[in-house]
Amino acid sequence: MREDKNNLGSIRIADDVVRVIAGLAATEVAGVAGMSGGVVGGITEKLGRKNLSKGVKVEVGEKEAAVDLYIIVEYGARIPEVAAKIQDDVKNAIERMTGLKVVEVNVNVQGVSFGNEFNEEDNRVK
């Protein structure tokens, strides 16, 4: 948790806030199909609005932050371009909203989505 003090009191920014900012910025990049649960079992889930921090790990210090993202890319997307755009967008969003200096954004591509594979699974079981 980051804490700033000024003459009016203190401002605290929780790690979860930084995770949500990073997750939202990443999913808004074209070519990102969803977020992955990360190393845990390699299970992938499409990111819903309910869990904007899925597939995001952060380390937040007093003035700096490091971010690890686990993503699923859309088939046909140019992975290096998508990853570079994610790095830029996540860094800018966190720095703009929190004032933290982002020292690294690591993008881990966990899979490729082929069309509506998430929707097909949802429709199959009711």
Side-chain angles (χ1 to χ4, degrees):
M1 178 164 315
R2 176 180 185 222
E3 183 173 345
D4 286 336
K5 293 187 180 190
N6 59 30
N7 59 352
L8 297 176
S10 63
I11 300 167
R12 294 186 182 122
I13 300 173
D15 292 1
D16 284 342
V17 172
V18 178
R19 272 194 286 277
V20 168
I21 293 168
L24 187 55
T27 57
E28 289 179 346
V29 173
V32 175
M35 303 296 284
S36 171
V39 217
V40 183
I43 298 172
T44 59
E45 292 182 29
K46 179 127 176 149
L47 179 70
R49 293 286 179 212
K50 296 176 189 168
N51 190 358
L52 293 172
S53 62
K54 174 120 204 77
V56 181
K57 290 174 51 179
V58 297
E59 292 180 36
V60 181
E62 289 184 27
K63 297 182 184 203
E64 296 179 336
V67 181
D68 291 308
L69 299 161
Y70 299 88
I71 67 164
I72 313 296
V73 295
E74 294 173 355
Y75 179 77
R78 294 182 53 86
I79 295 172
E81 290 175 9
V82 171
K85 177 80 168 132
I86 289 170
Q87 288 175 319
D88 287 340
D89 288 3
V90 168
K91 179 181 188 297
N92 292 335
I94 292 171
E95 288 180 349
R96 186 181 69 247
M97 294 179 74
T98 67
L100 291 166
K101 179 179 187 239
V102 177
V103 293
E104 63 183 33
V105 177
N106 301 307
V107 178
N108 301 283
V109 179
Q110 299 286 301
V112 177
S113 173
F114 298 98
N116 295 332
E117 72 181 29
F118 291 113
N119 293 337
E120 289 172 9
E121 289 177 12
D122 291 342
N123 291 334
R124 194 173 62 207
V125 179
K126 291 192 178 197

